[in-house]
Amino acid sequence: MRTSRIVGISFALLCMVAAAATLAQAGLNTGFDVWDGASVLLIAITTGWLAWGAAQAFIGLPALAPAPRTTLMSGHFPATAILVPICNENPVEVCARVQAMRQSLARAGVPADFAILSDTSDPDALRAERAALASLFDPTDGLNTVYYRVREDRRGRKAGNVEDFIRRSGGNYTYVVLLDADSLMEGEAIRHLVARMEANPGLGLLQTLPRIVGAATAFGRAMQFSASFHSPVFARGLARMQGPAGPFWGHNAIARVRALAQCCGLPELTGPPPFGGTILSHDYVEAALLVRGGWQVEMDPRIDGSFEEGPENLLAFARRDRRWCQGNLQHIRLLNAPGLRKWSRFVFFQGIVSYLVSLAWGAFLIVSLLAAATAGAPNYFPDAYQLFPVFPDDRTFQIVALACGVGGLLLLPKLAIYAESVVTGRAQQFGGTLRALGSVLAETLLTALIAPLMLMYQSRAAAEVLSGRDGGWPATARGEGRLGWIEGWRAGRWITLFGVAVSIFVLRAAPDLVVWLLPVTLPMVFAPFLITVTSWPVLVGAFGVPQETSLPPVVADYRRNLARGTDPKGTADGAIVRAA
Amino acid sequence: MDEKLTVTIDSNFAPTHDLTPLAPRAAPLDMPRQVLEHAARPSPFEMVSRLFLRNV
């Protein structure tokens, strides 16, 4: 663990210094000015961040040892509750998911209870929720009782919802499995989690790596593929570096109730939002508090049977990202929190930088343009009495080297993960070597196209939070996969405007840079088109993932249950929304 | 669950009785609030004030 951390941080620092030195050298060739200084600083930040991500992938390339084979004593299953916090959700989907997991638990012989913890506020949605869930409270049900409670004092959002359960009913249980409203877990996976907790009394929380299921649009399927193909390797790297001070992602995890009660009563931060008030990204904080309390927090990407759904279009992704941005930047307040482990502080720092780095990329772009625009014409005869002209040094080599380095940090991890999948045979699960390569290339192309849009959305989100604007924690609209042209135009028109303005500025001030900037300006100009088109459904063959070729039983049951269900009625504003 | 209920739904999807018994059984646990912020340091003015006004 220590070696992995040192290797990862050293690699990031090395790349950071190399990029800064290359750009500084290019600046020195032509007289180092204030623009060069700013560029060097910004490229150091952005490259360092890219290299840190790449290091995680490289460290995660070797396979982990097989997961420990733990078994529970026969006849003994510790009291376990599966918590399903919901808030103005589609109740038919919630019912179908709980029913599917109950079927899976019954097959596995796991006697865990469900607790549906509702924060639903809209009276119509509440009526629909109660009606849809009624079928779960069947007195003939066997092993898995379903409880349901509605919270009227909705303080603390999802973390407060879970906390309320622990405070009122936690004494009934040894473990809680924490889910999101769109989570699905196999009964066998839950049995494995409980057995792992029983085998290690010091383990406070065990996080799984959920696979995304059910994506239908180009954007959603690309994310689903990436989460299945790339994420396990990144997660292995993360697991190696974090060790027993691992992450908690808020759902698809098991926790020891005693540890949660002891360490995770979250306070309100002093001052108003966005930096004060309720802690929004509570999961990172809870993980840090558990570690502070002496508990181990582990993430294990080897655990199968854990699923969730992802955003189906760029707009939904950006909306979720706005919430996460505010939550992560709020952690600036917690960097100096008393008693935290250094690694926990570093995890907060990482989360903060992950959003600030978009601002740094944007600033780098602007500084580069201003530097080019304000550069005077070359002076070939700087001395009064000079026979031969002095040509300015060419910066092309350094700039090309830098571009190759940054491109390499973006592409090499993906290519390395593809090579790993071929060597280990994992590519076969993704349709074979060629089909997996096609998916990797298509996903890379799509990511490159939407990267400038994500940069704009993230920069706007970070700027809003830093200027003190509270975005709250609005629920994400669901069931909105395909966007219309008008929705796409509304969502992307400000990016188009910015892209056109930048293009005109570059054409007038630094025409030599026009071609270099096309990969950034073209997607910006066509932002509404990209947002709309990537929300269209694609053929199931594209971006194929193993969980489609062999549908996990709990997912199959969920779909069957949903098909038997009725249309949700009376939901707030007619929208199907989910809890954060 | 100790008290199982058969929920009947009227035409407006409204449950015809209280669903409170469906709530998880009570077994309270203490969950202390964690300290995440250092106590605010008093300003020099406040310190001087405390020194001179402590018995006021």
Side-chain angles (χ1 to χ4, degrees):
Chain A
M1 176 188 81
R2 200 179 173 82
T3 314
S4 300
R5 288 180 184 179
I6 291 169
V7 168
I9 292 171
S10 304
F11 180 74
L13 287 175
L14 195 72
C15 292
M16 199 170 156
V17 170
T22 308
L23 204 59
Q25 194 192 355
L28 285 170
N29 287 350
T30 53
F32 200 85
D33 58 17
V34 66
W35 298 121
D36 291 317
S39 299
V40 167
L41 178 71
L42 292 167
I43 201 70
I45 296 169
T46 48
T47 310
W49 178 250
L50 280 182
W52 173 243
Q56 276 182 36
F58 296 143
I59 291 170
L61 283 174
L64 295 170
R69 294 174 63 85
T70 45
T71 49
L72 290 164
M73 281 193 306
S74 62
H76 168 70
F77 196 92
T80 303
I82 300 166
L83 307 187
V84 187
I86 58 174
C87 182
N88 296 323
E89 272 290 341
N90 178 337
V92 177
E93 288 183 4
V94 172
C95 181
R97 285 194 188 95
V98 171
Q99 194 60 49
M101 284 188 279
R102 196 151 73 162
Q103 289 164 290
S104 183
L105 288 165
R107 281 194 295 272
V110 173
D113 292 340
F114 283 92
I116 301 172
L117 308 174
S118 175
D119 263 359
T120 298
S121 52
D122 182 89
D124 291 337
L126 206 50
R127 266 196 291 277
E129 185 177 290
R130 288 176 175 179
L133 297 179
S135 63
L136 295 171
F137 314 124
D138 182 353
T140 60
D141 55 8
L143 285 172
N144 311 107
T145 304
V146 179
Y147 295 104
Y148 172 69
R149 76 103 174 83
V150 179
R151 197 166 67 127
E152 286 174 6
D153 179 0
R154 287 178 283 276
R155 240 176 294 189
R157 305 175 195 276
K158 184 181 158 190
N161 195 356
V162 171
E163 183 184 313
D164 179 81
F165 173 84
I166 302 287
R167 283 185 190 282
R168 290 172 190 270
S169 308
N172 289 320
Y173 298 100
T174 311
Y175 302 113
V176 284
V177 175
L178 300 149
L179 299 183
D180 239 0
D182 62 358
S183 300
L184 278 172
M185 285 189 87
E186 295 282 8
E188 282 300 340
I190 290 170
R191 175 191 288 283
H192 178 80
L193 290 177
V194 172
R196 291 278 292 275
M197 298 297 280
E198 285 285 279
N200 181 358
L203 189 56
L205 187 142
L206 180 57
Q207 172 71 58
T208 67
L209 175 67
R211 305 280 196 272
I212 296 180
V213 289
T217 66
F219 180 86
R221 291 188 62 76
M223 278 198 62
Q224 179 177 268
F225 172 78
S226 183
S228 292
F229 192 78
H230 297 126
S231 292
V233 178
F234 279 95
R236 287 203 299 250
L238 195 64
R240 282 201 170 98
M241 280 195 269
Q242 300 212 330
F248 173 38
W249 296 324
H251 54 90
N252 294 56
I254 188 168
R256 197 176 298 273
V257 171
R258 194 157 54 88
L260 282 187
Q262 184 189 323
C263 303
C264 294
L266 294 183
E268 294 259 312
L269 296 179
T270 54
F275 291 103
T278 302
I279 295 174
L280 297 184
S281 289
H282 56 90
D283 38 15
Y284 276 32
V285 180
E286 285 158 346
L289 289 174
L290 284 169
V291 174
R292 181 174 82 172
W295 295 98
Q296 295 164 26
V297 177
E298 287 182 9
M299 185 269 290
D300 192 341
R302 296 166 298 189
I303 300 168
D304 286 329
S306 176
F307 309 97
E308 64 168 338
E309 291 181 4
E312 280 282 77
N313 59 54
L314 223 154
L315 191 55
F317 184 90
R319 205 175 292 154
R320 188 182 73 175
D321 216 41
R322 171 65 177 84
R323 299 195 310 250
W324 287 0
C325 174
Q326 183 166 335
N328 281 22
L329 292 184
Q330 194 185 34
H331 292 165
I332 291 172
R333 292 277 307 276
L334 305 179
L335 282 172
N336 193 33
L340 294 187
R341 293 272 188 89
K342 282 190 190 118
W343 186 258
S344 300
R345 295 186 205 280
F346 182 69
V347 170
F348 285 157
F349 174 73
Q350 262 189 89
I352 294 162
V353 173
S354 67
Y355 285 96
L356 294 184
V357 83
S358 288
L359 283 179
W361 274 120
F364 178 71
L365 190 71
I366 291 167
V367 164
S368 305
L369 291 178
L370 289 176
T374 54
N379 182 1
Y380 296 105
F381 297 94
D383 297 326
Y385 302 100
Q386 190 180 325
L387 189 57
F388 298 107
V390 176
F391 292 102
D393 282 340
D394 190 9
R395 301 161 53 135
T396 310
F397 174 76
Q398 284 91 346
I399 302 297
V400 170
L402 198 61
C404 288
V406 169
L409 286 176
L410 286 168
L411 288 176
L412 274 181
K414 291 189 175 184
L415 294 178
I417 291 170
Y418 173 71
E420 177 268 352
S421 77
V422 173
V423 171
T424 59
R426 199 166 62 93
Q428 294 306 317
Q429 301 169 12
F430 292 85
T433 310
L434 277 180
R435 189 164 270 197
L437 179 65
S439 295
V440 169
L441 295 177
E443 190 269 340
T444 306
L445 179 68
L446 187 64
T447 310
L449 278 174
I450 63 173
L453 279 57
M454 291 313 304
L455 174 90
M456 293 296 289
Y457 277 120
Q458 282 200 344
S459 300
R460 186 173 75 171
E464 278 177 2
V465 175
L466 291 176
S467 65
R469 197 167 148 200
D470 176 24
W473 199 265
T476 304
R478 292 184 66 77
E480 57 158 21
R482 184 175 185 146
L483 296 173
W485 289 108
I486 294 173
E487 285 170 295
W489 168 246
R490 283 189 186 138
R493 61 189 169 190
W494 66 281
I495 303 176
T496 299
L497 201 66
F498 186 83
V500 170
V502 169
S503 303
I504 292 171
F505 176 81
V506 177
L507 267 173
R508 285 173 167 268
D512 292 349
L513 293 181
V514 167
V515 176
W516 286 88
L517 283 174
L518 280 179
V520 177
T521 49
L522 267 186
M524 281 184 183
V525 171
F526 291 102
F529 174 78
L530 283 173
I531 292 170
T532 309
V533 167
T534 54
S535 77
W536 289 354
V538 289
L539 294 175
V540 175
F543 300 117
V545 289
Q547 58 265 34
E548 286 174 337
T549 42
S550 171
L551 200 62
V554 73
V555 179
D557 283 342
Y558 162 62
R559 291 187 185 162
R560 258 193 301 276
N561 297 339
L562 195 61
R564 277 201 296 263
T566 54
D567 289 335
K569 287 180 182 171
T571 310
D573 303 327
I576 305 304
V577 290
R578 61 172 285 237
Chain B
M1 194 183 305
D2 295 333
E3 300 170 79
K4 291 284 182 185
L5 295 175
T6 305
V7 180
T8 54
I9 309 297
D10 68 16
S11 58
N12 294 321
F13 285 105
T16 53
H17 54 70
D18 184 18
L19 291 177
T20 310
L22 293 173
R25 281 173 289 123
L29 267 189
D30 188 28
M31 201 168 180
R33 288 266 165 256
Q34 299 298 307
V35 177
L36 282 170
E37 294 176 282
H38 292 282
R41 287 193 193 133
S43 67
F45 178 75
E46 282 172 322
M47 285 165 72
V48 172
S49 301
R50 280 184 205 172
L51 200 64
F52 289 102
L53 304 176
R54 60 189 303 176
N55 293 321
V56 174

